[in-house]
Structures are given as structure tokens and as C-alpha cells.
Amino acid sequence: MIRNAALGSAATLITGALAAGLLLAPPAAAATTGNSAVPEALGVQIAAARAARAGIEWKDCPADWGLAAPIQCGWVKVPLDYAKPFGKTIDIAVDRAVSTGTKEERQGALLYNPGGPGGSGMRFPRRSTTGSALWVNTAKAYDFVGFDPRGVGHSTPISCVDPQEFVKVPKADPVPDTEADKTAQRKLAAEYADGCKERSGEMLPHMTTPNTARDLDVIRAALGEKKLNYLGVSYGTYLGGVYATLFPTHVRRMIVDSVVDPSTDNIWYEANLGQDVAFQMRWNDWQAWVAKNDATFHLGDTPAKVEAKWQQLRAQAKAKPLGGVAGPAELIGFFQSAPYYDSSWVPVAQAFSAWAAGDEKPLIEAVTPDLSDTAGNAASENSNAVYTAVECADAKWPTSWSKWNRDNTELHKKYPFLTWSNAWMNLPCATWKSKQHTPIEVGAKRGLPPVLIVQAERDAATPYKGGVELHRRLAGSRLITEKAAGSHGVTSLVNPCINTRVDAYLLQGKVDAKDVVCDPHAAPVAPAPAAAKSLTKAPASDFPAREELPAVR
């Protein structure tokens, strides 16, 4: 009876909103896809209508957010549970940099999600305010809008463990030597799942990708935008695919870059197994490049020799962590940035080379946590908590340890770089103490404009088949393949074949008549042996700015 009364009130709100042209799809639009129950479909319309009336009160950002003027910040209220749109609400933090062009050039707002799940998009407007060359044309036409997804950062953040404990090192070697090692890791994973329930239990059932997609539509309405312009990278591509499925007629322009395979049987257990294979491929690519530049790095003139040097480093760090902090787990965390991003190839190789020459300092400094940086440590713990909460809530995970053990033991034989590390990171989902949902069947054929899909052929975090699969599911989409390349987050790289098409799509709505294959962007260049930097220099300053990289795991 209470629900019926609430829906009666909702009907009045929705009617008014539709009359004002604020919502473009009828209430049944999402429900008819089979991907959303009627209460949630109705609830998001209520929330969007409410947000459209309220708008966003833009102000200077709080000083401790690190977002200087002219960037502005604000809040959007969304339901914790879209099936209960008049129940508890949470606040979503948003920010913007207004378009730099004329009134005639402006085309609306461009929203961004960097991935994760657990990544903050709040630094995206800096691409406009800092005059980033790749985005200067787009910045004339669009307000650049970032947001913290639910549970992230300033948006009702969740937590699973004490942040100061979370960042402490060294942690156990993720590659088990004995059954006792596996038992210890299983205990840690179960304790982590328990911690999530204890510290953030109310939020956990609602930490799903469909709910974040609904939040995205409410933000769209709060911005006064009838249709969404969106750029999603890594996990942000799955968020984009789910949004396109639930709200196909609300999309104006959408770019998805480095794509998660949205198949329901891939979300999320199989997706992580697929990452293990792809990371090994890209790790091998990096080792081949290091070997080719042996005159600079002196780590071996064949990939096999570079791998042997890596195994030597791992063994040394396992026996006695470098500086008391850099064990195998910390080294994997540092070295995996090379398979992720080409921009990390040189600095990671330099730190590795310094160790081989007898200087451990760069590796030690790269992995040592700053326990005085409580805000940064809280952000790291929060990001990991959201990653876990979303992936565990989105889908049902295997609960049988024998399956996890069998699958990862077999994978490790051929793909040892990341397999066990990835397994332990995701194992809390096996003992998750909150509801696990059924993944949405991503796909849209009616009402969705062409979506631009950009994918590197040798991507480690989101293997190439993900881009192909999403392309198949989104009718009218176009796929740009960067062949023989593997850096994650293609649209942040200089490659005119891609950059010009991104501009043409965002500025003019143009897509090619057929799919496009582009040559790879310029490969990293190792310093010349005679002119190489001192290898004693800590590499941190050489890494690209974090806001230019997608948030991934």
C-alpha cells in the first residue's frame, strides 16, 4: 500500500517532467529491454525529474579537493535504491570547466568516467583548464564534467579496512609456494569481505554498474541536458554500454575507449582470468623492448634474459624485501604499470636497471607508502573498496575454492606475471556478504546513435575482443582499432589517425562509413646510452599525470 501511494505521487512528477521535455523515453523504455525492473525504471525517471528541477549549484571547489578555479564543483542527489526513489538519498560530487568557445560553438556537457571501478573523474576538467593539446578543440564545444561515482571519493565513500593498515607493506608474496600460503590468502580475502560488510553494509547491495548508470542519467538531467555526451575508458566502457542499454534514446555522443567485454558470462570472474592472459602478452612485449634497448638498461639482450633478471629480483625481494618494504607483491604492483601504459616503459625499466646496477633506491621509493598522507591513503583504500564492491555486486561469483584454485593454478603455468595477484584481489567476491545481482544484457538496436569504439589490439587490462564484442552489440557503432599497440586508454595518446576521428565525432557527429584500422602511436624511446639519465633518480616524476590515465585494476 505504501509503494502504491508512492507510485501514485511519482506519476504526477513524471507527467510534469515529460511535459517539460526533461525526459525523453517513456517509463517502459528501460523495462522492455528485460534489463531493469519496473520500480528502478520508474525510480530513475522520478530522480531525474527531481534533479532537473533542482539543477546544480556551482561554486568554487573546496580548497582541499585540489581543483582550482575556474573549475567549479557541486552536488547531485540520487536515490540509494532506485526501487525506492523517495527513500534515502546520497550525494554525488560533480565538477566542471565551462566550454572555452563561443556561445555558438557550445554543444553541451561532456561527462567522463576513467574506469576502475573505483576511479574518480573529478580531474577530467583539468584537460580543459590546462589546455591539453588533444582536447583543445573539444573544450571549445563542451563543458568538461567529471564526477565521483557512488561510493567513490566525495560521493558517500565506502571503506572495507582501515586505510593506514591497507597501505602497509610488505605484503605476502601473491604466488603461493604451499597450501598453507593459499589458506592464509583465503583468510585475508574472507576478512576483507567481512570488513566491507561491517564498514559499508548499507551501501553494498546498491553498488552496481546499473545504479551508477542511473546516477549518470540523473546527472545529465541536473545539468539541463536532454541527451548525454559521454567518454568512458576501461571500466567506464562497461558503464557506457549499460547506460546505452538502459537509456538508448538519451545518448547524443558516446566514445568508449579500451573496452570491457560486456558478455554476461564474462562479468566479472572470466574477465579477470582473461586479463591474466593479456597481461602476460603485454609483459612479454615490454621485455622484448627492454632487451632491444640493452645498451641503455643492461638487463639482458633477449626477453628470456630480462625475464631471468625479473625472477632474480623477485627471489631477492622474497628472501629479504628491499629496504624492508619492497617484496614481490609491491614489485608486481609497480612493474604492472609497464603492461598497462607505454608511458611507463622507460621509468619502470630505469628503476629496474638501477637495481641491477646495485642501486635499490628507485624501487624502494616507488613502493614505500607515505603513512603521513592520510588523505591519499584513504583515497587508495576507498578506490580498492569500490572496485571490490562493484564487481562483487554486479554478478554472482564462484563460491567453490576448488574452482578458483584449479583455474588459477592452470593459468599460472603459462601466464605467471599477474595470475595469482589478480586472484587474491578478487577472492573476497567468493565470500561476499551482500546481494550479488545478475549482469545486465548489454545491447541496443533502436534509438541509439552511432557509438565510437576505440581499442588497442594488444591491450592488457581490457583485451581486444571486448571492443569487438561491444561493437557487435551496439547497432550502428564504429570500431577504431589501433593495431600492434597495447597501451591502455587510447584517446589520451597522440595518434592523429585516432585523434582527428575523435574530434570529428565529438564536434560534428561524424563517423567513418566502415570500421577503421590505425597504425600504432609512436613507440617509447629509450634514452641513448651516452645521454641516459642517472639511473639513481627515483622514477616517480617521470610517470604521466594520473588524471591523464584511466583508472584500472
Side-chain angles (χ1 to χ4, degrees):
M1 292 177 63
I2 294 174
R3 180 180 295 275
N4 289 341
L7 291 179
S9 300
T12 302
L13 289 174
I14 291 173
T15 300
L18 289 171
L22 297 175
L23 298 167
L24 302 177
T32 56
T33 65
N35 291 311
S36 176
V38 170
E40 284 82 3
L42 191 57
V44 69
Q45 294 200 40
I46 294 168
R50 190 163 54 204
R53 290 195 307 273
I56 300 173
E57 185 179 358
W58 294 108
K59 296 181 178 179
D60 288 343
C61 300
D64 61 351
W65 287 17
L67 299 165
I71 296 175
Q72 300 172 305
C73 291
W75 302 92
V76 176
K77 285 190 179 297
V78 302
L80 173 63
D81 180 355
Y82 278 94
K84 301 176 181 178
F86 299 106
K88 181 173 181 177
T89 61
I90 57 176
D91 292 324
I92 302 296
V94 296
D95 67 341
R96 72 172 181 181
V98 298
S99 59
T100 60
T102 65
K103 182 179 179 180
E104 291 72 26
E105 289 177 302
R106 187 180 183 279
Q107 298 190 39
L110 175 64
L111 277 74
Y112 173 74
N113 180 271
S120 168
M122 296 289 281
R123 296 185 72 81
F124 176 62
R126 294 189 76 252
R127 297 191 187 183
S128 174
T129 61
T130 60
S132 174
L134 290 182
W135 299 98
V136 65
N137 294 328
T138 306
K140 293 178 181 179
Y142 293 94
D143 299 343
F144 279 19
V145 177
F147 69 102
D148 276 346
R150 58 172 53 207
V152 174
H154 308 295
S155 297
T156 317
I158 67 168
S159 173
C160 292
V161 296
D162 177 77
Q164 296 297 95
E165 290 297 319
F166 176 77
V167 300
K168 284 184 179 178
V169 293
K171 293 179 170 58
D173 184 353
V175 178
D177 292 324
T178 65
E179 288 302 313
D181 290 342
K182 294 178 182 180
T183 299
Q185 291 283 7
R186 290 174 64 190
K187 182 173 183 290
L188 288 173
E191 289 173 349
Y192 187 87
D194 291 343
C196 294
K197 179 69 172 179
E198 180 180 343
R199 296 169 73 99
S200 305
E202 183 182 28
M203 290 280 289
L204 296 187
H206 312 293
M207 290 293 298
T208 66
T209 300
N211 276 338
T212 302
R214 295 176 184 116
D215 294 344
L216 192 57
D217 200 56
V218 176
I219 295 171
R220 170 200 62 76
L223 290 166
E225 300 286 332
K226 290 188 174 183
K227 296 201 175 189
L228 178 74
N229 303 295
Y230 176 78
L231 169 63
V233 184
S234 193
Y235 164 79
T237 67
Y238 184 59
L239 175 60
V242 170
Y243 184 92
T245 302
L246 293 178
F247 308 101
T249 61
H250 291 197
V251 177
R252 179 176 179 269
R253 308 267 165 82
M254 178 178 285
I255 298 179
V256 287
D257 170 2
S258 305
V259 179
V260 172
D261 181 346
S263 304
T264 56
D265 59 1
N266 189 58
I267 304 298
W268 286 101
Y269 180 76
E270 291 294 335
N272 281 281
L273 297 182
Q275 273 191 336
D276 301 337
V277 176
F279 260 94
Q280 190 70 47
M281 170 189 68
R282 197 60 179 160
W283 173 251
N284 295 344
D285 289 349
W286 177 72
Q287 289 185 325
W289 176 85
V290 171
K292 182 180 177 181
N293 290 282
D294 186 52
T296 295
F297 300 119
H298 310 294
L299 291 164
D301 57 5
T302 67
K305 291 179 181 178
V306 178
E307 173 65 18
K309 191 67 71 173
W310 161 247
Q311 293 299 332
Q312 179 186 343
L313 170 58
R314 279 191 95 268
Q316 178 182 322
K318 185 179 180 70
K320 183 180 179 182
L322 280 58
V325 297
E330 290 70 37
L331 291 174
I332 291 172
F334 173 70
F335 275 78
Q336 73 182 21
S337 65
Y340 267 131
Y341 311 115
D342 289 5
S343 53
S344 295
W345 281 21
V346 171
V348 170
Q350 286 181 317
F352 191 12
S353 182
W355 165 81
D359 181 10
E360 298 178 349
K361 182 180 176 183
L363 286 178
I364 293 170
E365 291 189 354
V367 306
T368 301
D370 180 359
L371 294 180
S372 68
D373 181 16
T374 54
N377 297 337
S380 295
E381 190 278 327
N382 167 245
S383 179
N384 194 80
V386 175
Y387 166 86
T388 308
V390 173
E391 294 212 353
C392 292
D394 267 356
K396 295 174 176 64
W397 287 67
T399 58
S400 165
W401 166 244
S402 62
K403 177 172 177 56
W404 287 77
N405 190 30
R406 181 178 63 251
D407 290 347
N408 287 281
T409 298
E410 286 302 309
L411 269 179
H412 177 77
K413 293 176 182 177
K414 290 185 177 180
Y415 314 104
F417 176 70
L418 197 67
T419 295
W420 278 114
S421 176
N422 210 12
W424 305 130
M425 183 170 184
N426 292 288
L427 189 60
C429 295
T431 58
W432 199 240
K433 300 301 192 297
S434 186
K435 182 174 181 179
Q436 294 183 319
H437 299 258
T438 300
I440 195 167
E441 189 68 57
V442 170
K445 295 178 180 172
R446 294 182 180 179
L448 182 70
V451 171
L452 190 63
I453 301 171
V454 187
Q455 183 74 34
E457 195 173 41
R458 300 181 69 79
D459 191 324
T462 52
Y464 180 71
K465 71 183 182 72
V468 175
E469 180 62 21
L470 185 63
H471 180 33
R472 184 185 71 80
R473 289 168 176 260
L474 299 183
S477 60
R478 289 291 180 271
L479 173 63
I480 300 176
T481 299
E482 189 182 28
K483 69 177 182 181
S487 200
H488 193 65
V490 180
T491 54
S492 64
L493 304 173
V494 176
N495 186 333
C497 178
I498 296 169
N499 306 144
T500 56
R501 287 178 166 85
V502 167
D503 273 358
Y505 177 74
L506 289 174
L507 298 178
Q508 301 162 15
K510 289 184 178 179
V511 293
D512 289 271
K514 58 182 181 179
D515 295 340
V516 175
V517 177
C518 291
D519 288 334
H521 62 274
V525 178
K533 290 180 171 182
S534 168
L535 294 177
T536 62
K537 180 180 181 297
S541 63
D542 289 343
F543 283 91
R546 285 190 66 86
E547 62 266 24
E548 293 301 315
L549 299 177
V552 288
R553 295 292 181 274

